[in-house]
Amino acid sequence: MPEGTLCNRQPITTDEQLKLTLSDKGGRQYYAEMEQLEVDTDKLWTAIQNTMKSRLKTWLNVCAKCGLCADSCFLYECNGRDPRQVPSAKIHATLGEIVKRKGKVDNAFMRKCMDIAWSWCTCCNRCGQFCPHGIDMGVMFSYLRGLLFSQGFVPWELKIGSGMHRVYKAQMDVTTEDWVDTCEWMADENSEEWPGLEIPVDKEDADIMYTLNAREAKHYPEDIAEAAILFHVAGENWTVPSEGWEQTSLTLFAGDWEGCKQNVLHVYDAIERLRPKRVVGTECGHAHRATVIEGPYWAGREDGQPPRPFLHYVEWLAEMLRTGRIKIDPAKRIKELVTLQDSCNYVRNQGLKNITREIMSYLVEPGYFVEMAPNKEYNYCCGGGGGFNGIGKYRPQRNIALLKKRQQIMDTGAKLVVAPCHNCWDAIRDLEEEYPMGIRWSFLKPLVIKMMIVPDHLKPQDEEGEE
Amino acid sequence: MKKKILLATTGSPASFGAARVAFEMARRYDAELLLFHVAGVPKKGFSYQEVSDVRSQEAVSVDEDYMAWVEEELKTTYAKQLEDCNNFRILLATGLPHREILRVARGEDVDMIIMGAHSGDSSAVYSKGYPGSTLQRVAKAAKCPVMTVHRESASYMGGFSHIVFATDFSKQSESAFKYALSMAKEFDCEMTLFHALDITSKVLAQSDIEDKLISLRKRLRDVYGPKMGDFKNFEVDVWEGNPYVEIVKIARERMADLIVLAHNTRELDPEQASMGSTLEQVILRANCPVVSVNRPDKV
Ligand code: SF4
Ligand code: SF4
Ligand code: SF4
């Protein structure tokens, strides 16, 4: 069988195909078909010749196999320092081989590559900081994932994830109607506690356009309400687009390059249509990487920038706290040991390390903030990045990967972890589930809402009861 | 008026009391009963092919088979009641329970939510990052009255004969009052308008307490008396103490079969509100159904 009905080289583009793939319990049929999937070696080699740019070629060639990158990789450390987990070894065993054999590889080899690309590397880009030649395996593995995706060798959940984006323009089946309705619902639900609270949809020329993660619309709309409350208290003139609001990109994790471009263009189109002065994205890390750091290149923007200045949530929040547009009640500052998860995707990839610490300085009583070690751009991946969290097939490997973060958190002695990135938040939740250690974790929004001083004119009238 | 009652059930014994009341109320009001169950909370980074089962906490993959099985389970659990119920639908969802209950209540525009108190749910690892129990969150945000039945013995045995309405004079209490009054009228039963003077956090001289009780009784009469219309079968009372204790005590003394109050706290974090809200404490201790009303919409 050259191609299966579920596992094949075509990305999912229709609702029927999506539902069909979803209905396959745990991807059983999908993975069975994958064992028979034929590798289109000509296509693979053509793709390499057309897409593998000089940087990647050079990297493959200049790698001295010196092993200096070994200790940088948390997966190498968590897996008993298995030499096969050394970043350079991983890439030479996969991409290196494909290139060496000019694409003439077989099914079993491709499946091995898939295992390595999605369960031996989270594309956290940490190793790139240690290689004397600046070789970044995270980038190489992202590229490898693209090749694998184009041949149909991609984990079931990510095939679905990329299909969701293509069919629904969101990583979950949230339609435009659902989304707009959710905004109304949240404004309504919170309007008593926050008189005048609005979630304006499609307002043109606002100061800020807000984009987010479809998971929030689907399962945790409070996050949208919380964003609205904070914009409201800060007095922002803001809006959300009815289309182009979903900022995440499972296509990025999947290696679906074409899908990546489509996703980011939805957001950019919304920016062009509504002409906000600035855009603010939610706390999600990879969404930021997809829309702000890599997105401009996918979209072919020459200046390497999104159409308007695009802030990560921590940048906006820090600005509000710094300028006093949101004020923290000193009495409510955190007075227990608390640590901070630095997200690879906006800390290592964009350098937002000091700004998150500035936020902590407003929220935490001096002396109670403890750093993880290492931290900032040297922080380790949460263990669930790059799609790792979502892939059932690699759950055992993911659980091993969590151990590094566990150790880091335990070493701080903190019982509260601030994890702005959604994916990190999830990984830390799962960490507590797998290896209970009695910790709590939080996004920034609910923390700030609990701690801020609400100006009198924004409080509900007649709120007080007896005395 | 066509009524819709949403029974949010886990299908576990903890919700049997609530189910009993729900079926009874549906019959009495000739209402449509929606049996609603949240099958699981999404795992794996909220991808929704896999959830942790609400009851067993085990990972299950959600597909038609699983959902059909859940529906069958519910039908078996309530087989007897369903026999006598000719207007019901079973609705299933996956997600965080409080959110999905609120979602369906809004989507279906229900007149009342009935649920068990089920206090154990907030300790589960998936919900730890989201403060508040399912009940607290539903009670806080629902537009319609939320009736809670904590134990089977508290389940409605037929007919309301005495309603205790507890007020803290908040804005939310106005809606609760309207609801309590309309129930009292509808069932032609007695009603006690009650306020508990909270003396737990301050030291007051006995004479001060007496003075306050007198003035608060007057306040109760002044505020609610004119609103009673032609309904005469009521009394007012104010006791001092810890509010939830006093509310439960007066309900027992009056042999009340329904307590109505507002859920008037913004604090959802159980660690912050260590004793829980008055509402939650009343629910856990009361021997009759407790209705919380926060909004004017459905009363
Ligand atoms: S440190 Fe750089 S050159 Fe050395 S093995 Fe790793 S990738 Fe290759
Ligand atoms: S990108 Fe991260 S996970 Fe991948 S090899 Fe480098 S350090 Fe390891
Ligand atoms: S989830 Fe967070 S820590 Fe993990 S890879 Fe992504 S950004 Fe990094």
Side-chain angles (χ1 to χ4, degrees), chain B residues 160-195:
Chain B
F160 291 117
S161 59
H162 195 120
I163 296 175
V164 166
F165 159 66
T167 179
D168 58 1
F169 299 108
S170 63
K171 189 172 148 224
Q172 288 90 332
S173 289
E174 284 171 32
S175 304
F177 168 74
K178 280 197 193 110
Y179 178 78
L181 181 61
S182 73
M183 289 292 278
K185 281 182 176 166
E186 187 153 348
F187 292 102
D188 189 23
C189 60
E190 284 171 82
M191 179 168 167
T192 298
L193 305 165
F194 181 71
H195 175 78

Coordinates of all heavy atoms in Angstrom, one line a residue, chain B residues 160-195:
Chain B
F160 N -43.0 22.1 49.4 CA -42.3 23.0 50.3 C -43.2 23.5 51.3 O -44.3 24.0 51.0 CB -41.7 24.1 49.5 CG -40.6 23.7 48.5 CD1 -40.7 23.8 47.2 CD2 -39.4 23.2 49.0 CE1 -39.7 23.4 46.3 CE2 -38.4 22.8 48.2 CZ -38.6 22.9 46.8
S161 N -42.8 23.5 52.6 CA -43.7 24.1 53.6 C -43.1 25.3 54.3 O -43.8 26.1 54.8 CB -44.1 23.0 54.6 OG -42.9 22.5 55.2
H162 N -41.8 25.3 54.2 CA -41.1 26.5 54.9 C -39.8 26.8 54.2 O -38.9 26.0 54.1 CB -40.9 26.2 56.4 CG -40.6 27.4 57.2 ND1 -41.3 27.8 58.3 CD2 -39.6 28.3 57.0 CE1 -40.9 28.9 58.8 NE2 -39.8 29.3 58.0
I163 N -39.7 28.1 53.8 CA -38.5 28.5 53.1 C -37.8 29.5 54.0 O -38.4 30.5 54.5 CB -38.9 29.2 51.7 CG1 -39.6 28.2 50.8 CG2 -37.7 29.8 51.1 CD1 -40.1 28.8 49.5
V164 N -36.5 29.3 54.1 CA -35.7 30.3 54.8 C -34.9 31.1 53.8 O -34.2 30.5 52.9 CB -34.7 29.6 55.8 CG1 -33.6 30.6 56.2 CG2 -35.4 29.1 57.0
F165 N -35.1 32.4 53.8 CA -34.4 33.2 52.9 C -33.3 34.0 53.7 O -33.7 34.7 54.7 CB -35.3 34.2 52.2 CG -34.6 35.4 51.6 CD1 -33.7 35.3 50.6 CD2 -34.8 36.7 52.2 CE1 -33.0 36.4 50.1 CE2 -34.2 37.8 51.7 CZ -33.2 37.7 50.7
A166 N -32.1 33.8 53.5 CA -31.0 34.4 54.3 C -30.4 35.5 53.4 O -30.0 35.3 52.3 CB -30.0 33.4 54.6
T167 N -30.3 36.7 54.0 CA -29.8 37.8 53.3 C -28.7 38.5 54.0 O -28.5 38.5 55.2 CB -30.9 38.9 53.1 OG1 -30.4 40.0 52.3 CG2 -31.5 39.4 54.4
D168 N -27.8 39.0 53.2 CA -26.7 39.9 53.7 C -26.9 41.3 53.2 O -26.0 42.1 53.3 CB -25.3 39.4 53.4 CG -25.1 39.3 51.9 OD1 -26.1 39.6 51.1 OD2 -24.0 38.9 51.4
F169 N -28.1 41.6 52.7 CA -28.5 42.9 52.2 C -27.7 43.3 50.9 O -27.7 44.5 50.6 CB -28.4 44.0 53.3 CG -29.3 43.8 54.4 CD1 -28.7 43.4 55.7 CD2 -30.7 43.9 54.3 CE1 -29.6 43.2 56.8 CE2 -31.5 43.7 55.4 CZ -30.9 43.3 56.7
S170 N -27.1 42.4 50.3 CA -26.3 42.7 49.1 C -27.2 42.8 47.9 O -28.4 42.5 48.0 CB -25.3 41.7 48.8 OG -25.9 40.4 48.6
K171 N -26.7 43.3 46.8 CA -27.5 43.5 45.6 C -27.9 42.1 45.1 O -29.1 41.9 44.7 CB -26.6 44.2 44.6 CG -27.4 44.6 43.3 CD -26.5 45.4 42.4 CE -26.8 45.2 41.0 NZ -25.6 45.0 40.1
Q172 N -27.0 41.2 45.2 CA -27.4 39.8 44.8 C -28.5 39.2 45.6 O -29.3 38.5 45.1 CB -26.2 38.9 44.9 CG -25.1 39.1 43.9 CD -24.0 40.1 44.4 OE1 -24.3 41.0 45.2 NE2 -22.8 40.0 44.0
S173 N -28.6 39.7 46.9 CA -29.7 39.1 47.7 C -31.0 39.6 47.2 O -32.0 38.9 47.5 CB -29.5 39.6 49.2 OG -28.4 38.9 49.7
E174 N -31.1 40.7 46.5 CA -32.4 41.1 46.0 C -33.0 40.1 45.0 O -34.1 39.8 45.1 CB -32.3 42.4 45.2 CG -32.1 43.6 46.1 CD -31.7 44.9 45.3 OE1 -32.2 45.0 44.2 OE2 -31.0 45.7 45.9
S175 N -32.1 39.5 44.2 CA -32.6 38.5 43.2 C -33.0 37.3 44.0 O -34.0 36.6 43.7 CB -31.5 38.2 42.2 OG -31.0 39.3 41.6
A176 N -32.1 36.9 45.0 CA -32.5 35.7 45.8 C -33.8 35.9 46.5 O -34.6 35.0 46.6 CB -31.3 35.5 46.8
F177 N -34.0 37.1 47.0 CA -35.3 37.4 47.6 C -36.5 37.2 46.7 O -37.5 36.6 47.0 CB -35.3 38.8 48.2 CG -36.7 39.3 48.6 CD1 -37.2 38.8 49.8 CD2 -37.4 40.1 47.8 CE1 -38.5 39.2 50.2 CE2 -38.7 40.5 48.2 CZ -39.3 40.0 49.4
K178 N -36.4 37.8 45.5 CA -37.4 37.6 44.5 C -37.8 36.2 44.3 O -38.9 35.8 44.2 CB -37.1 38.3 43.2 CG -37.2 39.8 43.3 CD -37.2 40.4 41.8 CE -37.1 41.9 41.9 NZ -35.8 42.3 41.3
Y179 N -36.7 35.4 44.2 CA -36.9 34.0 43.9 C -37.6 33.3 45.1 O -38.6 32.6 44.9 CB -35.6 33.3 43.6 CG -35.7 31.9 43.3 CD1 -36.2 31.4 42.1 CD2 -35.4 30.9 44.3 CE1 -36.4 30.1 41.9 CE2 -35.6 29.6 44.1 CZ -36.1 29.1 42.9 OH -36.3 27.8 42.7
A180 N -37.1 33.6 46.3 CA -37.7 33.0 47.5 C -39.1 33.3 47.6 O -40.0 32.5 47.9 CB -36.9 33.4 48.7
L181 N -39.5 34.6 47.3 CA -40.9 35.0 47.5 C -41.7 34.3 46.4 O -42.8 33.9 46.8 CB -41.0 36.5 47.3 CG -42.4 37.1 47.5 CD1 -43.0 36.8 48.8 CD2 -42.3 38.6 47.2
S182 N -41.2 34.2 45.2 CA -42.1 33.6 44.2 C -42.3 32.1 44.5 O -43.4 31.6 44.3 CB -41.5 33.8 42.8 OG -40.4 33.0 42.6
M183 N -41.3 31.5 45.1 CA -41.4 30.1 45.5 C -42.5 30.0 46.6 O -43.3 29.1 46.6 CB -40.1 29.5 45.9 CG -39.1 29.3 44.8 SD -39.6 28.0 43.7 CE -39.0 26.5 44.6
A184 N -42.3 30.9 47.6 CA -43.2 30.8 48.7 C -44.7 31.0 48.3 O -45.6 30.3 48.8 CB -42.8 31.9 49.7
K185 N -44.8 31.9 47.3 CA -46.2 32.2 46.8 C -46.7 31.0 46.0 O -47.8 30.5 46.2 CB -46.2 33.4 45.9 CG -46.2 34.7 46.6 CD -46.3 35.8 45.6 CE -46.3 37.2 46.3 NZ -46.1 38.3 45.3
E186 N -45.8 30.4 45.2 CA -46.2 29.3 44.3 C -46.6 28.1 45.2 O -47.6 27.4 44.8 CB -45.1 29.0 43.4 CG -45.5 28.0 42.4 CD -44.6 28.1 41.1 OE1 -43.9 29.1 40.9 OE2 -44.7 27.2 40.3
F187 N -45.9 27.9 46.2 CA -46.2 26.7 47.0 C -47.0 27.0 48.2 O -47.2 26.1 49.1 CB -44.9 26.0 47.4 CG -44.2 25.4 46.2 CD1 -43.1 26.0 45.6 CD2 -44.6 24.2 45.7 CE1 -42.5 25.4 44.5 CE2 -44.0 23.6 44.5 CZ -42.9 24.3 44.0
D188 N -47.3 28.3 48.4 CA -48.1 28.7 49.5 C -47.6 28.2 50.8 O -48.3 27.5 51.6 CB -49.6 28.2 49.3 CG -50.5 28.9 50.3 OD1 -50.1 29.9 50.8 OD2 -51.6 28.3 50.6
C189 N -46.3 28.5 51.1 CA -45.7 28.0 52.3 C -45.2 29.2 53.2 O -45.2 30.3 52.7 CB -44.6 27.0 52.0 SG -43.3 27.7 51.0
E190 N -44.8 28.9 54.3 CA -44.2 29.9 55.2 C -42.8 30.3 54.8 O -42.1 29.6 54.1 CB -44.1 29.3 56.6 CG -45.3 29.1 57.4 CD -45.0 28.4 58.7 OE1 -44.6 29.0 59.6 OE2 -45.2 27.1 58.6
M191 N -42.5 31.5 55.2 CA -41.2 32.0 54.8 C -40.6 32.8 56.0 O -41.2 33.6 56.6 CB -41.4 33.0 53.6 CG -40.1 33.6 53.1 SD -40.5 34.3 51.5 CE -39.0 35.3 51.3
T192 N -39.3 32.5 56.2 CA -38.6 33.3 57.2 C -37.5 34.1 56.5 O -36.7 33.6 55.7 CB -37.9 32.3 58.2 OG1 -38.9 31.5 58.9 CG2 -37.1 33.1 59.2
L193 N -37.6 35.4 56.8 CA -36.6 36.3 56.3 C -35.5 36.4 57.4 O -35.8 36.8 58.5 CB -37.2 37.7 56.0 CG -38.3 37.7 55.0 CD1 -39.1 39.0 55.1 CD2 -37.9 37.4 53.6
F194 N -34.3 36.1 57.0 CA -33.3 35.9 58.1 C -32.0 36.6 57.8 O -31.6 36.7 56.6 CB -33.0 34.4 58.3 CG -32.0 34.1 59.3 CD1 -32.4 34.3 60.7 CD2 -30.7 33.7 59.0 CE1 -31.4 34.0 61.7 CE2 -29.8 33.4 60.0 CZ -30.2 33.5 61.3
H195 N -31.4 37.2 58.8 CA -30.1 37.7 58.7 C -29.2 37.3 59.8 O -29.7 37.2 61.0 CB -30.1 39.3 58.6 CG -28.8 39.9 58.6 ND1 -28.0 39.9 57.5 CD2 -28.0 40.4 59.6 CE1 -26.8 40.5 57.8 NE2 -26.8 40.8 59.0

